[in-house]
Amino acid sequence: MSAFPTMPLLPETFEGDALSVDLHMHSTASDGALSPEELVRLCAERGLSHIALTDHDTLDGVEDAQKEARQCGISVLPATELSAQWRGANIHVVGLLPSGAVGTLVEGLESQSRARNTRAEAIAKRLEKVGLKDALAKAHARAGERPLGRPDFAHVMVEDGLVPDLASAFKKYLGNGKVGDVKSHWPYLSEVVTWILDAGGVAVLAHPLRYKMTRRKRGLLLDEFRRAGGQAAELVSGYQNPDATRDLARQLQEYDLLASLGSDFHFPGGPLAPGTMSPIPRTAVAPVWTHERLAQWRRQGNMA
């Protein structure tokens, strides 16, 4: 795809620039509510110029998103959000993939699909013990052909009247440490990072402030992530506390990581829309798109 002549060049720093970037969003290829094409059109309506489609453990929606993006005059970077485990915690890593899925990432995505299916079966058995009948069949009926995730079970629990809303489903049954939180099937953090690097991509630690870790433990995570080859972390993910964001910026600088940002958008009507997120603090940390592996995408439009 040739460059879009009128597309703004992404800045080399965060200071003083109004950004039209969102590098973390989901479509119906995983657990989002909009098709890839619908998501791209919404991004265009909201004035975004550079986006990444980061569906869970798949790049299935990227081609459709890029076709629509060519009509809308915006750029879609191939990407995915991969699940991993670290010291008993479920950690997500966004792979920004200008070359798409190549190398060991191809087999890695296949193994993630198998792990997600096995995990879904384990979640279903646990939820059936607390009263959700035919949990797996109902979740599959809702999800169709795409891989199952915890939100599918949450929707079924709401539909069956076990909980009043999705937030309650996660708070009581599906959130971290709850009965439906199954982590054991995911690969280790270092393995996921290696897949992304082997594909010529940039590994980004997703929403590090959401893991409810102490500052010290988050530092251990960032350090191990960097030593495994990770190159960046999401400095801003949706809405977050400004003081916590400034402190995270200091940690990214300490561990020599670049900064990414995204809304983690899933569905219209919620608190977040594409491109909505907390302000970026004054920081010397460089944006993730300045990494040499993303240099061509930064200058041009869609990557094949």
Side-chain angles (χ1 to χ4, degrees):
M1 175 73 183
S2 60
F4 293 114
T6 59
M7 182 174 292
L9 181 67
L10 293 176
E12 294 186 3
T13 67
F14 289 119
E15 283 205 33
D17 292 290
L19 297 173
S20 55
V21 181
D22 193 327
L23 300 181
H24 190 149
M25 291 183 288
H26 298 272
S27 76
T28 51
S30 64
D31 58 349
L34 301 180
S35 69
E37 297 92 337
E38 290 170 331
L39 177 59
V40 167
R41 289 195 291 271
L42 179 57
C43 290
E45 291 170 8
R46 294 186 55 80
L48 298 180
S49 64
H50 293 77
I51 66 174
L53 182 59
T54 60
D55 279 310
H56 293 283
D57 305 310
T58 184
L59 278 80
D60 285 352
V62 170
E63 184 177 356
D64 289 339
Q66 289 186 329
K67 287 179 181 177
E68 186 66 28
R70 294 184 183 107
Q71 304 302 316
C72 297
I74 65 177
S75 177
V76 175
L77 178 64
T80 185
E81 184 176 10
L82 298 167
S83 297
Q85 56 175 311
W86 177 79
R87 300 193 182 189
N90 184 9
I91 302 296
H92 288 178
V93 181
V94 167
L96 301 177
L97 304 162
S99 299
V102 295
T104 58
L105 178 60
V106 176
E107 184 177 342
L109 289 171
E110 293 174 355
S111 70
Q112 289 291 84
S113 179
R114 292 192 296 270
R116 188 169 285 276
N117 289 335
T118 303
R119 175 177 177 257
E121 292 171 2
I123 291 173
K125 288 180 181 178
R126 293 187 181 191
L127 294 182
E128 286 178 354
K129 290 180 180 180
V130 296
L132 184 61
K133 296 181 179 179
D134 300 321
L136 189 63
K138 290 176 180 176
H140 271 303
R142 185 184 185 281
E145 295 182 1
R146 63 171 174 77
L148 292 179
R150 282 182 296 173
D152 296 305
F153 290 103
H155 279 282
V156 172
M157 297 188 88
V158 173
E159 291 165 4
D160 276 24
L162 290 178
V163 291
D165 51 43
L166 297 180
S168 299
F170 275 88
K171 185 176 181 180
K172 191 172 182 180
Y173 296 106
L174 292 162
N176 288 337
K178 304 301 180 181
V179 65
D181 179 30
V182 178
K183 305 181 180 72
S184 59
H185 300 292
W186 299 129
Y188 288 107
L189 180 66
S190 57
E191 185 176 3
V192 165
V193 171
T194 298
W195 295 342
I196 295 168
L197 299 183
D198 190 48
V202 175
V204 181
L205 184 67
H207 39 67
L209 293 180
R210 291 195 205 166
Y211 300 124
K212 296 182 180 180
M213 298 176 177
T214 63
R215 189 181 194 277
R216 179 181 176 278
K217 188 170 183 179
R218 186 170 64 242
L220 293 174
L221 170 61
L222 291 169
D223 182 48
E224 190 167 331
F225 178 71
R226 179 187 57 81
R227 287 189 286 108
Q231 302 115 312
E234 289 180 348
L235 175 58
V236 177
S237 175
Y239 293 130
Q240 54 194 47
N241 180 281
D243 292 334
T245 305
R246 285 189 288 270
D247 187 51
L248 178 57
R250 289 189 287 269
Q251 283 192 301
L252 297 193
Q253 190 167 9
E254 178 183 353
Y255 292 105
D256 195 27
L257 291 166
L258 301 172
S260 189
L261 67 163
S263 63
D264 199 4
F265 172 77
H266 282 76
F267 57 90
L272 297 170
T276 61
M277 59 197 81
S278 294
I280 303 164
R282 291 175 61 89
T283 177
V285 178
V288 66
W289 52 81
T290 63
H291 193 284
E292 60 183 1
R293 290 188 169 191
L294 300 181
Q296 186 178 359
W297 176 74
R298 179 172 172 255
R299 293 191 302 267
Q300 296 182 350
N302 291 334
M303 304 297 295

